[in-house]
Structure formats: structure tokens, C-alpha cells
Amino acid sequence: GSRRLAIRLRHRHRDATAFAVGLMACSRDPAHLLDLTRQRLERLSLPAPVSSLLLATRHIERLAPCQRSLVSENRNEVEEWSALLERLSARLGECAIHGLQARAVHRPERAWRYVAPGRESPVAIMAERPLWLLLQPQLLKIRNGQPLWHGPLVLQQDPERIESGWWDGADCARDYYVARNTSGERLWIFRERRGGCVWYLQGFFA
């Protein structure tokens, strides 16, 4: 079986149209491969009629046997999840589908990275982190020394100090707090230890 098919559609007097179909798991099922190829073709704009096509795969893998129930034809959750990712990838493009993986880095903006969908994260984050981080920390207004976000913010716990990055030119020295405003929103804010009483909003808790 294979995890990737390369397809080249040839046209008369035009450059060929080439695309690939990627799979989460090795397969040789014609119906499955045809369905993914059809999903990819539906969003393809051809410059001219197709005179011939080339179908190729460079990496052939040993296909592991799959144990199925004699009673039920239903696929398990892993198979359903893989099939969904494959359909989304075929329809939206491989670059549109990503997984997220935690990294052993203290700085929040560098503590994650994009990976292939379905890859497990080997790093467990022990400290509490919000689900939504801003692309760039947002400067907070200050009133009487207290940070504001839709009202005054009340700090709810002792700070988590992060000092890191001196070796790669992105040095930071921050004290992070979980804060709550008058509307009940929980926010993750920090104070720059080297910039005086300057507060930033980093993210939101669900």
C-alpha cells in the first residue's frame, strides 16, 4: 500500500496539472483512493481538456492486516478520525490541516508547533495554560496601579515567573498571573520585570 499518490494530468499545448493525494494510513483500497482523488479533483481548475494522466507512488509500504468484526462493518473511532482528516486534506489541501504539539519551552509563544495531524504530543504541560493565546501580547491600561480589561482585573494566584530565551535573542523576564475581571472572564496576563509597571494580556481561559 501507499500513503501518498502523485497524479499528473496532461494537456495538449499546456503544462501538465500535477497534484498529490495524501493519506493518514497506508492503503490500497481502490474505492477509498478514488473517493479522496475525487474530493481533490472537485476543487481543481483545469486549464484545458485532459489528454492523458499519470498515477504514481514513490513509497510502497507493507500493508498491516486489519482485524475486523464478522458481525459489524462499522469502523472504529481511529479509522473514522483518519478518514475525516483525509477527506478534509483532499478537499482543503494538505497545507490547511495541521496538528498541534507541545514543546519543552517555557515561553508561551514558542511552547507549541505545527505537526502532521494525529501525531501525539510527548510533552505534558504541568502549569495551567489558557486555550487561546493572542498572536501578540496586548498592552493593558493601568488605573491606580491596577491593570484593566473591561473593568479592573483581580489577580487570583501567585505569579509564575518565566525567564528564558537569552541564548536565541528572544529573551524574556515576565511574571504571569491568572486574573478575573468584573464580567467573570479569566485571563492570563503578565508584567514585564524589566519594564516597570507594564502589563500585557497573553490569553484567555475557556
Side-chain angles (χ1 to χ4, degrees):
S2 179
R3 294 175 184 263
R4 188 175 184 84
L5 300 179
I7 299 174
R8 179 179 291 270
L9 306 177
R10 295 183 175 131
H11 315 283
R12 295 185 185 275
H13 313 299
R14 294 289 187 94
D15 293 335
T17 301
F19 64 93
V21 176
L23 294 88
M24 295 292 297
C26 185
S27 175
R28 67 180 182 193
D29 180 9
H32 180 54
L33 297 175
L34 181 60
D35 179 59
L36 294 179
T37 304
R38 184 180 292 112
Q39 297 275 353
R40 183 68 175 84
L41 285 170
E42 285 179 355
R43 66 183 187 89
L44 196 64
S45 179
L46 298 176
V50 176
S51 59
S52 63
L53 66 85
L54 175 68
L55 172 64
T57 182
R58 294 184 177 181
H59 303 287
I60 301 296
E61 303 178 26
R62 183 181 298 275
L63 190 64
C66 180
Q67 298 289 343
R68 292 188 179 274
S69 171
L70 294 175
V71 179
S72 174
E73 293 296 329
N74 294 332
R75 295 184 293 184
N76 59 39
E77 292 183 3
V78 174
E79 290 177 310
E80 293 289 352
W81 176 245
S82 296
L84 173 61
L85 290 177
E86 289 170 350
R87 288 196 300 271
L88 290 173
S89 179
R91 181 171 292 276
L92 303 176
E94 293 183 1
C95 295
I97 308 298
H98 300 285
L100 295 177
Q101 186 179 70
R103 300 176 62 203
V105 179
H106 292 291
R107 288 166 291 177
E109 58 271 21
R110 301 196 179 197
W112 62 277
R113 62 184 172 188
Y114 289 121
V115 295
R119 183 183 299 181
E120 295 183 0
S121 175
V123 181
I125 300 178
M126 303 304 294
E128 187 177 18
R129 292 287 185 267
L131 293 177
W132 179 19
L133 293 180
L134 302 180
L135 292 177
Q136 294 292 335
Q138 181 175 337
L139 182 65
L140 295 174
K141 294 182 179 180
I142 306 294
R143 181 187 301 159
N144 299 326
Q146 188 174 21
L148 305 174
W149 174 265
H150 297 171
L153 294 176
V154 178
L155 307 182
Q156 294 192 301
Q157 62 184 43
D158 294 333
E160 175 191 355
R161 178 160 294 179
I162 295 180
E163 294 191 27
S164 183
W166 55 267
W167 59 87
D168 61 10
D171 189 15
C172 74
R174 307 168 182 166
D175 284 339
Y176 277 88
Y177 295 84
V178 176
R180 187 182 295 272
N181 65 7
T182 53
S183 300
E185 295 176 294
R186 293 180 70 233
L187 302 88
W188 203 38
I189 66 175
F190 68 86
R191 179 171 54 191
E192 287 282 5
R193 298 188 58 245
R194 299 169 185 162
C197 190
V198 181
W199 291 86
Y200 291 88
L201 172 63
Q202 181 85 58
F204 298 90
F205 290 92

